[in-house]
Amino acid sequence: MEQQIKSIEQEVRDFTITSNELLENFRLKFISKKGLIPSLFEELKKASPEEKKKLGKELNALKQLAEGKYKSAQEETENTADKPHEEIDLSLPVIPHKLGNQHPLSLTRYRIIEIFERLGFNLADGPEIEDDWHNFTALNFPPNHPAREMQDTFFIEKNPDVLLRTHTSNVQVRLMKKQPPPIRSIMPGRVFRNEAISARAHCFFHQVEGLYIDKNVGFADLKQTLYSFAQEMYGKDIKIRYRPSFFPFTEPSAEIDISCLICKGKGCNLCKHSGWVEIAGSGMVHPNVLRHGNIDPEEYTGFAFGMGIERVTQLLFQVNDLRLYSENDTRFLRQFRPVLS
Ligand code: DAH
């Protein structure tokens, strides 16, 4: 038995543990219940008392040696060996790169621009921070017009009057001063009004202004231009109507309605059961406005219109709540794709 103890001791010393697997093998071989060392303890029971004393000591030393080696190897392998590492699976499909998409109002704006460009209109631009003259006075607004009041207009300074433009019509006279007729331009942009925010109103929204000034421009040109636009935008079956109206900067003036796309003219919530939806204000440019733009009204005439981009978009994509356009919720914004021409 003494011999056995010696050779097992040598085996314990020679055993190299470099992985969890070898550690377990070591434990099974030497220390576990059915391992070599416990079986030697079993055998020791049969030995004489004297032998027991001597061999017991040696066996205990072997046991301590094996257990000590096991413990320190265990600590070491915990720190280093066989940590599970992520394997790269090259056959997995790639994580798709999310593509952004354009805002529905931008999609509509580009579509409007595209249609009017084909009708011969070019693109013009004007400032959002404007003076009273271009926003009101030059457009024939009388000094006491209610639109100038604080409840409608965001004034930045009251004297001199600096304000956030309330409509894109502010670009009209700027354009007239910049270039002689013929003028055939559209002017998209953001406008601001002091309104409580709801599903139907917002403190800012978007318009597209249109201006066509040349010799012999008449109301028929206005009608056909906007009819062509509506057909391109909404399809050949669209109906259009002109309602007499008033704007200080046009004479005569008309509001333009198109047949409701949601109920096809039968009557629904969007069209307030009238079958018609207003999309623009329009009219023949007032002679005073032409004069403010240094254009002789005896020689030139023109038409103008101002269209709400939100409204055109609502009809296109059937979105009823204006607030969705500025909340920047990507779950909403992700849903829109270009309108095909
Ligand atoms: N500026 C008007 C508005 O914001 C819309 C408008 C009406 C524009 C008639 C025009 C026009 O150019 O001729 O309500």
mmCIF file of all heavy atoms in Angstrom, residues 166-167 169 172 193 207 209-210 247 249-250 281-283 304-306, ligand 1:
data_model
loop_
_atom_site.group_PDB
_atom_site.id
_atom_site.type_symbol
_atom_site.label_atom_id
_atom_site.label_comp_id
_atom_site.label_asym_id
_atom_site.label_seq_id
_atom_site.Cartn_x
_atom_site.Cartn_y
_atom_site.Cartn_z
ATOM 1 N N THR A 166 -46.649 85.986 -42.122
ATOM 2 C CA THR A 166 -47.904 85.276 -41.878
ATOM 3 C C THR A 166 -48.348 84.513 -43.110
ATOM 4 O O THR A 166 -49.286 83.731 -43.054
ATOM 5 C CB THR A 166 -49.012 86.259 -41.475
ATOM 6 O OG1 THR A 166 -49.153 87.240 -42.530
ATOM 7 C CG2 THR A 166 -48.666 86.960 -40.173
ATOM 8 N N HIS A 167 -47.721 84.803 -44.240
ATOM 9 C CA HIS A 167 -48.026 84.073 -45.485
ATOM 10 C C HIS A 167 -46.817 84.208 -46.431
ATOM 11 O O HIS A 167 -45.948 85.060 -46.238
ATOM 12 C CB HIS A 167 -49.305 84.585 -46.154
ATOM 13 C CG HIS A 167 -49.367 86.080 -46.323
ATOM 14 N ND1 HIS A 167 -50.477 86.733 -46.804
ATOM 15 C CD2 HIS A 167 -48.449 87.067 -46.093
ATOM 16 C CE1 HIS A 167 -50.236 88.045 -46.855
ATOM 17 N NE2 HIS A 167 -49.030 88.262 -46.430
ATOM 18 N N SER A 169 -47.067 85.269 -49.340
ATOM 19 C CA SER A 169 -47.326 86.407 -50.238
ATOM 20 C C SER A 169 -46.286 87.507 -50.046
ATOM 21 O O SER A 169 -46.146 88.385 -50.899
ATOM 22 C CB SER A 169 -48.725 86.979 -49.976
ATOM 23 O OG SER A 169 -49.692 85.965 -50.027
ATOM 24 N N GLN A 172 -44.012 88.193 -53.009
ATOM 25 C CA GLN A 172 -44.523 88.753 -54.277
ATOM 26 C C GLN A 172 -43.805 90.040 -54.677
ATOM 27 O O GLN A 172 -43.225 90.146 -55.763
ATOM 28 C CB GLN A 172 -46.032 89.019 -54.166
ATOM 29 C CG GLN A 172 -46.892 87.771 -54.244
ATOM 30 C CD GLN A 172 -48.366 88.107 -54.447
ATOM 31 O OE1 GLN A 172 -48.729 89.206 -54.871
ATOM 32 N NE2 GLN A 172 -49.226 87.155 -54.118
ATOM 33 N N ARG A 193 -48.375 81.894 -37.554
ATOM 34 C CA ARG A 193 -49.528 82.641 -37.028
ATOM 35 C C ARG A 193 -49.743 82.300 -35.567
ATOM 36 O O ARG A 193 -49.520 81.155 -35.146
ATOM 37 C CB ARG A 193 -50.799 82.321 -37.826
ATOM 38 C CG ARG A 193 -50.725 82.975 -39.183
ATOM 39 C CD ARG A 193 -51.992 82.844 -39.961
ATOM 40 N NE ARG A 193 -51.672 83.056 -41.380
ATOM 41 C CZ ARG A 193 -52.489 82.846 -42.369
ATOM 42 N NH1 ARG A 193 -53.707 82.423 -42.127
ATOM 43 N NH2 ARG A 193 -52.106 83.064 -43.603
ATOM 44 N N GLN A 207 -46.834 77.074 -46.923
ATOM 45 C CA GLN A 207 -47.612 77.485 -48.084
ATOM 46 C C GLN A 207 -46.739 77.437 -49.329
ATOM 47 O O GLN A 207 -45.506 77.432 -49.251
ATOM 48 C CB GLN A 207 -48.098 78.940 -47.918
ATOM 49 C CG GLN A 207 -49.150 79.117 -46.837
ATOM 50 C CD GLN A 207 -49.679 80.544 -46.805
ATOM 51 O OE1 GLN A 207 -48.974 81.497 -47.121
ATOM 52 N NE2 GLN A 207 -50.931 80.686 -46.412
ATOM 53 N N GLU A 209 -46.681 79.916 -52.595
ATOM 54 C CA GLU A 209 -47.232 81.070 -53.286
ATOM 55 C C GLU A 209 -46.981 80.899 -54.775
ATOM 56 O O GLU A 209 -45.950 80.330 -55.171
ATOM 57 C CB GLU A 209 -46.481 82.326 -52.789
ATOM 58 C CG GLU A 209 -47.130 83.619 -53.162
ATOM 59 C CD GLU A 209 -48.321 83.934 -52.284
ATOM 60 O OE1 GLU A 209 -48.554 83.206 -51.288
ATOM 61 O OE2 GLU A 209 -49.033 84.903 -52.596
ATOM 62 N N GLY A 210 -47.913 81.357 -55.589
ATOM 63 C CA GLY A 210 -47.690 81.341 -57.039
ATOM 64 C C GLY A 210 -47.909 82.742 -57.590
ATOM 65 O O GLY A 210 -48.797 83.463 -57.111
ATOM 66 N N PHE A 247 -59.386 89.148 -50.712
ATOM 67 C CA PHE A 247 -58.044 89.360 -50.186
ATOM 68 C C PHE A 247 -57.640 90.771 -50.575
ATOM 69 O O PHE A 247 -57.945 91.198 -51.692
ATOM 70 C CB PHE A 247 -57.041 88.350 -50.778
ATOM 71 C CG PHE A 247 -57.372 86.913 -50.475
ATOM 72 C CD1 PHE A 247 -57.971 86.114 -51.444
ATOM 73 C CD2 PHE A 247 -57.113 86.369 -49.228
ATOM 74 C CE1 PHE A 247 -58.297 84.793 -51.165
ATOM 75 C CE2 PHE A 247 -57.437 85.047 -48.944
ATOM 76 C CZ PHE A 247 -58.033 84.253 -49.915
ATOM 77 N N PHE A 249 -54.957 91.969 -51.563
ATOM 78 C CA PHE A 249 -53.944 92.050 -52.622
ATOM 79 C C PHE A 249 -54.377 91.471 -53.962
ATOM 80 O O PHE A 249 -53.593 91.398 -54.893
ATOM 81 C CB PHE A 249 -52.637 91.394 -52.154
ATOM 82 C CG PHE A 249 -52.836 90.127 -51.357
ATOM 83 C CD1 PHE A 249 -52.736 88.890 -51.972
ATOM 84 C CD2 PHE A 249 -53.129 90.172 -50.001
ATOM 85 C CE1 PHE A 249 -52.935 87.725 -51.250
ATOM 86 C CE2 PHE A 249 -53.330 89.011 -49.272
ATOM 87 C CZ PHE A 249 -53.236 87.785 -49.893
ATOM 88 N N THR A 250 -55.624 90.997 -54.039
ATOM 89 C CA THR A 250 -56.136 90.503 -55.329
ATOM 90 C C THR A 250 -57.519 91.083 -55.598
ATOM 91 O O THR A 250 -58.291 91.354 -54.678
ATOM 92 C CB THR A 250 -56.237 88.964 -55.349
ATOM 93 O OG1 THR A 250 -56.785 88.541 -54.102
ATOM 94 C CG2 THR A 250 -54.895 88.312 -55.588
ATOM 95 N N GLY A 281 -56.078 80.138 -51.775
ATOM 96 C CA GLY A 281 -56.685 81.433 -52.071
ATOM 97 C C GLY A 281 -56.045 81.930 -53.359
ATOM 98 O O GLY A 281 -54.907 81.583 -53.658
ATOM 99 N N SER A 282 -56.782 82.739 -54.092
ATOM 100 C CA SER A 282 -56.212 83.173 -55.380
ATOM 101 C C SER A 282 -56.892 84.459 -55.861
ATOM 102 O O SER A 282 -57.834 84.939 -55.243
ATOM 103 C CB SER A 282 -56.420 82.081 -56.428
ATOM 104 O OG SER A 282 -57.806 81.977 -56.733
ATOM 105 N N GLY A 283 -56.394 84.976 -56.958
ATOM 106 C CA GLY A 283 -57.042 86.150 -57.548
ATOM 107 C C GLY A 283 -56.127 86.837 -58.537
ATOM 108 O O GLY A 283 -54.985 86.408 -58.762
ATOM 109 N N ALA A 304 -52.268 85.451 -58.848
ATOM 110 C CA ALA A 304 -51.488 84.915 -57.721
ATOM 111 C C ALA A 304 -52.340 83.880 -57.001
ATOM 112 O O ALA A 304 -53.578 83.898 -57.098
ATOM 113 C CB ALA A 304 -51.098 86.035 -56.771
ATOM 114 N N PHE A 305 -51.661 83.002 -56.330
ATOM 115 C CA PHE A 305 -52.392 82.059 -55.467
ATOM 116 C C PHE A 305 -51.516 81.677 -54.291
ATOM 117 O O PHE A 305 -50.280 81.802 -54.344
ATOM 118 C CB PHE A 305 -52.840 80.811 -56.241
ATOM 119 C CG PHE A 305 -51.714 80.026 -56.837
ATOM 120 C CD1 PHE A 305 -51.040 79.050 -56.097
ATOM 121 C CD2 PHE A 305 -51.306 80.258 -58.150
ATOM 122 C CE1 PHE A 305 -49.990 78.334 -56.655
ATOM 123 C CE2 PHE A 305 -50.254 79.536 -58.711
ATOM 124 C CZ PHE A 305 -49.589 78.578 -57.964
ATOM 125 N N GLY A 306 -52.143 81.240 -53.228
ATOM 126 C CA GLY A 306 -51.416 80.761 -52.051
ATOM 127 C C GLY A 306 -52.055 79.470 -51.588
ATOM 128 O O GLY A 306 -53.258 79.430 -51.301
HETATM 129 N N1 DAH B 1 -51.911 84.809 -48.448
HETATM 130 C C1 DAH B 1 -53.222 84.228 -48.363
HETATM 131 C C2 DAH B 1 -53.360 83.542 -47.018
HETATM 132 O O1 DAH B 1 -52.379 83.252 -46.402
HETATM 133 C C3 DAH B 1 -53.430 83.242 -49.444
HETATM 134 C C4 DAH B 1 -53.526 83.909 -50.785
HETATM 135 C C5 DAH B 1 -54.711 84.329 -51.239
HETATM 136 C C6 DAH B 1 -52.388 84.070 -51.546
HETATM 137 C C7 DAH B 1 -54.834 84.931 -52.488
HETATM 138 C C8 DAH B 1 -52.475 84.682 -52.794
HETATM 139 C C9 DAH B 1 -53.722 85.095 -53.244
HETATM 140 O O2 DAH B 1 -51.431 84.891 -53.584
HETATM 141 O O3 DAH B 1 -53.794 85.693 -54.487
HETATM 142 O O4 DAH B 1 -54.442 83.252 -46.597
#
